[in-house]
Amino acid sequence: MNAKSVEKEKELTTVQTQKVELADAHCHLDLIKDHSLVLQAVNGGVLTIVTDGIDILTSRVAVKIAAVDEHVFAAIGIDPENALKMEISHARNNLLHAAKELGDMVGANRGNIVAIGEIGLDYMKAKSEAEKEKQRKVFNAMIELALELNLPVSVHSRGAMEEVLETLRSRSVKRAHLHFFEGNLQQAKEAERLGYMISIPPLSSAKRAEVIKDIAIDRLMVESDSPVVGESPLSVRKAVEMVAEAKRISVERAAEQLVANTKRFFNIQPKRSFMRM
Ligand SMILES: [Zn+2]
């Protein structure tokens, strides 16, 4: 074992044994079939978990999970893939309907719903200009909703970072979480300038390390994006280690800062109904 892997091993042991508090800024708990994985994550220190819906149905599920688990908070919205399934015409417009339904969900579940997400643009999924246009319409309607409700947005972007940043900027969005940040350093700098949060998934790459290194630590969050990327919210450990390594700080310090950022960004408050007497 070389010095670096010994160091790595030591860090891993610290996180595992001392139960450093962690926060997962983006995952899909509705897709995790084995609930014991979520319990393991909470036991492993992930005390704040934001689970995202991708359409009306999964948004409802996210809200239900948040209602019964004091560690879980929901983001609700229509993602770019599901945006393609919407009908948006004069004769039939189910986007208006969907936005109203999401707004009603927030009204009935304040405290458990902390963002509109995930929403955004995915130009790997949208092939034609007509499909892109549909995604733009839904993205804009979701931004509108977030602004009306005074909630932050959790944004997905694939092949569309320039346009996502431009859309958020032109709509004067102040609080945006760039989930699974895919942009380059210049785009990360622009996001930082706009006051947005850059989210690090548990996948290391040289480009990602460069972004982490050059962006102020208070602009960073970590996410598992489980079960799509990580196995469970506990996978944020790896992303925390990546931040610690790129910033040359301890895992504990990185974790502490990242948890604080997540709670600040989503305005996460302890849930009253779960408070102990
Ligand atoms: Zn996601």
Side-chain angles (χ1 to χ4, degrees), residues 37-106:
L37 286 173
V38 181
L39 296 176
Q40 269 173 37
V42 171
N43 278 328
V46 193
L47 302 186
T48 306
I49 300 171
V50 179
T51 187
D52 283 58
I54 56 171
D55 59 9
I56 294 291
L57 189 69
T58 52
S59 292
R60 273 200 214 114
V61 177
V63 173
K64 274 194 182 145
I65 300 171
V68 296
D69 190 324
E70 67 178 309
H71 304 289
V72 179
F73 298 83
I76 61 171
I78 296 164
D79 81 345
E81 198 174 343
N82 284 287
L84 296 176
K85 298 178 196 155
M86 307 283 297
E87 277 187 61
I88 313 167
S89 66
H90 285 297
R92 211 177 121 77
N93 188 334
N94 56 18
L95 177 58
L96 287 174
H97 212 84
K100 161 119 185 33
E101 194 162 350
L102 292 168
D104 290 346
M105 267 187 232
V106 173

Side-chain angles (χ1 to χ4, degrees), residues 26-28 52-54 79 118 156 179-180 223 225-226 228:
H26 183 106
C27 65
H28 299 276
D52 283 58
I54 56 171
D79 81 345
E118 68 181 276
H156 167 111
H179 132 69
F180 204 116
E223 61 174 72
D225 203 5
S226 58
V228 187

Side-chain angles (χ1 to χ4, degrees), residues 12-36:
L12 274 172
T13 326
T14 320
V15 179
Q16 275 157 9
T17 55
Q18 292 193 355
K19 280 204 194 154
V20 174
E21 184 180 340
L22 305 165
D24 184 354
H26 183 106
C27 65
H28 299 276
L29 293 188
D30 59 299
L31 297 175
I32 298 183
K33 295 297 166 228
D34 179 1
H35 188 68
S36 70

